[in-house]
Amino acid sequence: MKIIMLGAPGAGKGTQAKMIAEKYGVPHVSTGDIFRANIKDGTQLGMEAKKYMDQGLLVPDELTVKILLDRVAKEDCKRGYVLDGFPRTIPQAEVLDKALTELGDKIDYAIDVDVPDENIVRRMGGRRACLSCGATYHIEHIPPKAEGICDACGKELVLRDDDKPETVQNRLSVYHEQTQPLIDFYGAKGVLKTVDGTKDMKDVFGAIVDILEGAV
Ligand code: ADP
Ligand code: ADP
Ligand code: ZN
C-alpha cells in the first residue's frame, strides 16, 4: 500500500499519516521530519534546508528528491509507505512516478486533506511539535496530557519557527502555487481521493479508512 497525503500546510496530513501508518503497519515518511532531524543534528543537509524552511519556501527539488528516494529504497518501505509532505511540486511527483514505474510499481492513493485557508491560519498558531520524536499536538483540539510536554517521549513541545503567522502566509502562497497542481496530477491518474479535513481528527481518519478499505 503506497499512499500520498496531499493538502495545505497544517491540513492534518501528518496527524492522519501517523494513524494510517500505525493501523496498517507501514512507515510514515515525512520529508519535513527528515529535514528537522537533520537541522537538530547540525548536518550539512540540515543547514542547507533550514535556509529555505525558515522563510516558508520549499527546499530545492534536487535535495529533496534524493533524500526521499533514499528513504523509500530502505527495507521497511518494501510493503508500502505513507508519504507526508512529498511530493510538493510537479517535478517531484514526476521523479517519484518514474522511479516507481521502473520498479513496476505505482501509488495506490493520493488523499487530499481539504481545509480552507482561514482554518489553516488558526490551526498553525496552536500547533505544538516535539522536535525529539516528531509528535504533533494542538493546544485546543489535540492537547498533550501535560501542558508543553510530549505524551510520547516526555520532551518539551515547541511552536515551530515556521508556524509563526508571517511564515504561515508564505507557506500558504507557496502551497497554492506549487503544490495544489498535484491535485489535478493525481486526479488524472485516477488515484485521487478527497476528505473533508475540517472535521474532527477521528472522523477524518474514518473517512480515510473507508477509502483504503474500498468502502467508498
Ligand atoms: P507541514 O507539515 O506544516 O506542511 P512540513 O513538515 O511538511 O510542514 O514541511 C516543513 C518545511 O520543510 C516546508 O515548508 C519546506 O520548507 C520543507 N519541505 C518539506 N517537504 C518538502 C518537499 N517535499 N519539498 C520541498 N520542501 C519541503
Ligand atoms: P500537516 O502535517 O498537514 O502540516 P498536522 O497534522 O501537523 O498538519 O496538523 C496541523 C495542526 O492541526 C496540529 O496542531 C494538529 O494537532 C492539528 N490538527 C490535525 N488534525 C486536526 C483536526 N482534524 N481538527 C483540528 N485540529 C487538527
Ligand atoms: Zn516526543
Side-chain angles (χ1 to χ4, degrees):
M1 179 159 64
K2 297 191 172 64
I3 302 169
I4 289 174
M5 303 303 291
L6 295 175
K13 300 180 299 296
T15 302
Q16 297 299 327
K18 282 181 195 128
M19 293 164 83
I20 297 169
E22 196 171 317
K23 181 171 170 80
Y24 296 101
V26 290
H28 164 218
V29 175
S30 155
T31 38
D33 282 352
I34 296 174
F35 288 137
R36 280 184 291 277
N38 275 275
I39 292 173
K40 190 162 163 267
D41 293 344
T43 69
Q44 189 70 43
L45 169 69
M47 286 191 288
E48 188 61 25
K50 189 173 174 5
K51 290 195 258 174
Y52 300 93
M53 292 170 75
D54 282 351
Q55 299 177 67
L57 299 174
L58 295 183
V59 178
D61 287 343
E62 307 82 77
L63 275 181
T64 309
V65 160
K66 186 178 178 311
I67 61 153
L68 189 275
L69 292 181
D70 285 351
R71 177 65 190 91
V72 297
K74 295 223 165 97
E75 186 62 34
D76 66 333
C77 286
K78 287 253 155 62
R79 284 184 49 245
Y81 42 76
V82 192
L83 298 187
D84 161 21
F86 186 99
R88 257 181 157 96
T89 64
I90 295 280
Q92 289 181 11
E94 285 170 342
V95 172
L96 176 64
D97 203 41
K98 183 159 170 279
L100 286 170
T101 306
E102 277 165 13
L103 297 168
D105 207 347
K106 62 173 180 50
I107 293 297
D108 298 299
Y109 297 101
I111 301 175
D112 179 30
V113 184
D114 188 28
V115 177
D117 286 10
E118 309 84 82
N119 302 40
I120 297 286
V121 178
R122 248 176 292 136
R123 268 197 201 174
M124 298 297 242
R127 171 153 70 180
R128 293 295 178 274
C130 173
L131 297 182
S132 187
C133 78
T136 307
Y137 304 85
H138 190 281
I139 49 177
E140 286 163 40
H141 309 302
I142 306 167
K145 292 197 182 79
E147 195 183 320
I149 304 292
C150 178
D151 291 353
C153 76
K155 297 268 162 53
E156 191 192 349
L157 299 176
V158 298
L159 173 67
R160 274 165 45 183
D161 284 339
D162 61 343
D163 279 352
K164 304 206 165 121
E166 50 291 7
T167 316
V168 170
Q169 282 303 342
N170 282 348
R171 290 165 66 200
L172 275 173
S173 317
V174 166
Y175 168 74
H176 290 300
E177 272 166 41
Q178 304 195 56
T179 308
Q180 210 169 11
L182 293 175
I183 295 178
D184 288 341
F185 180 94
Y186 287 106
K189 290 190 180 298
V191 295
L192 180 71
K193 301 281 178 184
T194 304
V195 294
D196 178 356
T198 64
K199 298 236 164 74
D200 189 84
M201 170 175 103
K202 291 197 183 66
D203 295 336
V204 180
F205 187 57
I208 293 176
V209 169
D210 284 349
I211 291 166
L212 301 182
E213 302 190 352
V216 284

